[in-house]
Amino acid sequence: MPRTSRNHFGLAVLLAALSTLGPFSIDTFLPAMRAIGDTLSASPLEMQQALTVYLFCYALMMLWHGSISDAVGRRPVILATTLLFGLASVGCALSDSLGALLLFRALQGLCGGAGLVVGRAIIRDRLEGAAAQRLMSQVTMLFSLSPAIAPVVGGWLFGAFGWHSIFVFMALVGFALFAMCWFGLPETHPREARQPLRARNLLSSYWRVGRTVNFQLLTAAVSLNFAGFFLYVPSAPVFLMQHLHLGPTQFLWLFGPAVSGIMFGAYLSGRMAGHFSPREIVSRGYALMFAAALANLAYNLFAAEQALPWAVLPLALYTTGMSLAAPSITLNLMDQFPALRGTASSLQGFCQTMVSSLVAGVVAPLAWASPLRLALVMNGLLILGFVCRMGYRWRIGSQQH
């Protein structure tokens, strides 16, 4: 049964560390993408595949991480994926062609999302109510450091040792997490609560979760909210180096404000848990996101040229609102299926990552030539997310009456 102890900081640190595999795999090698392409004789568009193929495999495997953990337990899934991630990173470091790099990036993607998906299920195994929201917020605060640190670390490693060292660093992170989980991660999913891992049962579980309109609306809302920020992640090399004229070691100008907002929003979410209803917290989150998106649009409409810090400050406000709303929406989403939390977390993660993959592979390349286009797309994604959220609220109101 879930416990309600308030002292779970050690677990929060471990789960946050596990969740860093995804953003580290995305953000650490961004400053070196051009150099990697030059070494492997790949064009910038071909190098974009290294991000797209990772995100596609990341999303695909998210359909399995939670379900497998529902069947065999949380701990075996985490141990297997952290070890394989480390080995895949070694393969990336040794790659001498674009094909080899894409193969090992795909393997990284298959493993990188387990910590995030299974970590959510672990939180709900251990805690409930406001205590679960606080722990989710703690994990978000710690996890959110990685997108700010990763490109800076990548830029330093690239400048000092070349691009191969970036993947060596990823391998060390993977192996270190394997060791930490071997000694420090308890099993939270008892045998008597496990679901059989059969194809028929798996498809039935996904059908049961995925066909629920409320699940669809909440998943779309949180995915589109995140996409409004994630749009700037694959666009970072162009946005920073071409529009703001910064160097490969200065990615902190984008990720620093954005991640500060994520941390502050997560802090606010934890502080507000138990004092405000989830609906009130989410409403405040959307208010901040809309204020940020409109400020970003206004700046790009009226500014003569891009300048720091004004070009990046709206992202800090946007991610504050995004991070404020996300824990309540995510917990609400999983609580609809108490016996299938891992499956629900997997399906939600799959949908969110597929949206991010579409943004990275299609939307961002069409928008990053102009900061104004980026601002317009951010507003469009946020509006779509808000419509989905309002659709969910309308359905809940109709069901209650």
Side-chain angles (χ1 to χ4, degrees):
M1 294 293 294
R3 295 181 294 179
T4 58
S5 171
R6 295 183 179 180
N7 187 15
H8 291 277
F9 185 75
L11 180 62
V13 171
L14 184 55
L15 295 181
L18 288 169
S19 299
T20 60
L21 286 184
F24 259 94
S25 298
I26 295 171
D27 299 336
T28 312
F29 89 122
L30 288 177
M33 282 185 69
R34 289 185 180 179
I36 297 173
D38 292 341
T39 301
L40 303 181
S41 301
S43 68
L45 187 59
E46 288 175 326
M47 279 304 304
Q48 192 70 18
Q49 297 175 23
L51 178 58
T52 303
V53 72
Y54 171 85
L55 287 171
F56 177 80
C57 293
Y58 183 95
L60 181 65
M61 196 60 194
M62 274 193 165
L63 288 173
W64 292 91
H65 290 313
S67 299
I68 294 173
S69 75
D70 282 343
V72 304
R74 316 301 187 200
R75 179 179 160 87
V77 175
I78 294 296
L79 292 176
T81 52
T82 50
L83 180 60
L84 286 175
F85 179 89
L87 295 173
S89 300
V90 173
C92 289
L94 298 176
S95 296
D96 58 1
S97 67
L98 179 62
L101 179 64
L102 294 180
L103 174 64
F104 289 111
R105 285 288 288 171
L107 183 56
Q108 278 188 322
L110 293 175
C111 302
L116 182 61
V117 172
V118 179
R120 290 172 181 166
I122 290 173
I123 290 173
R124 291 303 290 121
D125 290 341
R126 298 285 295 266
L127 300 168
E128 59 187 6
Q133 184 174 337
R134 291 189 188 98
L135 182 55
M136 185 80 78
S137 299
Q138 287 178 347
V139 170
T140 302
M141 287 177 62
L142 296 169
F143 152 77
S144 62
L145 287 172
S146 59
I149 296 172
V152 177
V153 171
W156 288 342
L157 289 171
F158 170 57
F161 306 107
W163 66 264
H164 298 85
S165 65
I166 295 173
F167 293 108
V168 172
F169 175 76
M170 290 186 196
L172 293 175
V173 171
F175 294 140
L177 287 173
F178 173 80
M180 290 169 62
C181 293
W182 181 271
F183 293 106
L185 182 67
E187 179 57 68
T188 62
H189 193 48
R191 292 184 180 274
E192 60 271 17
R194 295 178 187 176
Q195 304 287 325
L197 187 62
R198 301 190 183 98
R200 183 175 179 180
N201 292 341
L202 183 62
L203 292 175
S204 176
S205 297
Y206 281 131
W207 175 250
R208 177 184 168 190
V209 174
R211 70 177 181 176
T212 306
V213 177
N214 287 347
F215 176 87
Q216 295 168 5
L217 291 171
L218 285 176
T219 297
V222 74
S223 299
L224 291 165
N225 295 346
F226 178 75
F229 157 65
F230 185 78
L231 171 70
Y232 283 84
V233 174
S235 304
V238 176
F239 181 71
L240 293 175
M241 301 174 76
Q242 291 187 19
H243 299 309
L244 293 177
H245 310 293
L246 301 177
T249 61
Q250 295 178 292
F251 275 55
L252 189 61
W253 275 108
L254 174 66
F255 290 96
V259 169
S260 297
I262 293 175
M263 294 184 67
F264 185 56
Y267 169 78
L268 289 178
S269 177
R271 295 289 295 177
M272 294 170 71
H275 299 285
F276 296 89
S277 70
R279 177 176 172 176
E280 291 173 323
I281 294 173
V282 172
S283 296
R284 285 164 171 76
Y286 270 108
L288 292 176
M289 284 188 282
F290 271 108
L294 291 173
N296 192 30
L297 181 60
Y299 174 77
N300 283 281
L301 280 172
F302 298 110
E305 61 180 13
Q306 294 292 302
L308 292 172
W310 314 111
V312 296
L313 283 180
L315 285 176
L317 184 60
Y318 184 93
T319 54
T320 299
M322 179 190 78
S323 185
L324 176 61
S328 295
I329 298 176
T330 302
L331 289 170
N332 189 358
L333 186 152
M334 286 194 294
D335 283 347
Q336 296 180 59
F337 307 95
L340 296 170
R341 288 177 183 136
T343 300
S345 181
S346 283
L347 193 56
Q348 186 270 329
F350 169 80
C351 295
Q352 180 170 328
T353 309
M354 287 302 294
V355 171
S356 299
S357 181
L358 180 64
V359 168
V362 179
V363 179
L366 294 174
W368 64 35
S370 164
L372 178 58
R373 289 186 195 174
L374 290 171
L376 286 168
V377 174
M378 169 191 269
N379 276 267
L381 292 169
L382 175 59
I383 290 171
L384 289 175
F386 180 72
V387 169
C388 292
R389 171 66 182 174
M390 294 304 294
Y392 168 77
R393 286 181 55 180
W394 178 82
R395 283 181 56 83
I396 293 296
S398 299
Q399 292 168 0
Q400 291 175 348
H401 291 86

